[in-house]
Amino acid sequence: MKKTLLSIILLLFVVLGTSAQSITDSFFDHVTYVGAFDGTYDWTKGWAEWDPVGKTYSETTTTKGNGQFAFATGTHITANETWSGVVKLDGWVYVDENVTLTISAGTIIRGTEKSALIIQRGGKINAVGTSTSPIVFTSNQAAGLRAQSNWGGVVICGKATNNIAGGVGTTEGGITAQ
């Protein structure tokens, strides 16, 4: 059995290796290293926070949400909005169908416990940061106290092929969006 399994694995490597194609599209840069980092240029500078637990962020200037965690009682954005500054996300905030939420470059969104920003089917989010003015989504906990699962995150609902009977599912965690 062990020899058969090893033979199958070896055969897969040979077949996959011989059928691989080189990338000739001019969009791609040909490099001599493997992976995303060449050892000299840090393209994540300004785009990624490598110490999110200890980072000190500005105090919130605006609150979005009403502290409610149910579809019926959470906050629904029903007209186009633009967010900027330091926003406290408090509760479940839904971007409804046919509505666009624009988040300006440099905006910091600090979510309270269990809070989530939910972009419903047909809703849109337009969030374009830059390396010098990134958009930050983080916990509202103070520096040094942040941990995984401090807040619910961003949930983007849409239409895609899936393996659910009927093709439509409901989000987990009680958000009850398709």
Side-chain angles (χ1 to χ4, degrees):
M1 180 68 173
K2 201 183 272 188
K3 285 183 182 180
T4 304
L5 183 59
L6 288 174
S7 297
I8 291 171
I9 291 171
L10 180 59
L11 180 63
L12 282 173
F13 279 128
V14 170
V15 170
L16 292 175
T18 58
S19 66
Q21 299 177 2
S22 65
I23 298 173
T24 58
D25 190 322
S26 62
F27 171 82
F28 297 101
D29 293 330
H30 291 275
V31 297
T32 58
Y33 55 89
V34 177
F37 300 95
D38 66 3
T40 57
Y41 174 67
D42 181 5
W43 59 267
T44 68
K45 190 165 183 67
W47 290 96
E49 175 58 59
W50 296 107
D51 181 25
V53 173
K55 175 77 174 179
T56 299
Y57 293 103
S58 302
E59 291 300 316
T60 57
T61 55
T62 305
T63 298
K64 297 293 181 174
N66 59 8
Q68 298 296 306
F69 299 96
F71 182 82
T73 58
T75 299
H76 288 261
I77 298 174
T78 58
N80 295 344
E81 281 190 16
T82 300
W83 292 2
S84 61
V86 184
V87 178
K88 179 175 153 183
L89 189 67
D90 189 18
W92 289 348
V93 177
Y94 295 86
V95 177
D96 287 345
E97 185 177 3
N98 298 319
V99 174
T100 300
L101 171 61
T102 301
I103 301 175
S104 301
T107 301
I108 299 169
I109 298 173
R110 300 179 62 171
T112 62
E113 186 178 359
K114 300 190 303 183
S115 292
L117 176 61
I118 301 111
I119 314 303
Q120 296 200 92
R121 288 174 120 185
K124 296 179 183 177
I125 183 170
N126 179 16
V128 181
T130 68
S131 63
T132 55
S133 291
I135 296 171
V136 176
F137 289 89
T138 189
S139 163
N140 196 43
Q141 295 289 327
L145 300 176
R146 291 186 203 100
Q148 292 177 338
S149 300
N150 276 156
W151 72 292
V154 179
V155 179
I156 301 177
C157 304
K159 294 182 180 179
T161 303
N162 59 56
N163 62 354
I164 300 171
V168 178
T170 302
T171 54
E172 64 184 9
I175 295 172
T176 60
Q178 292 185 334

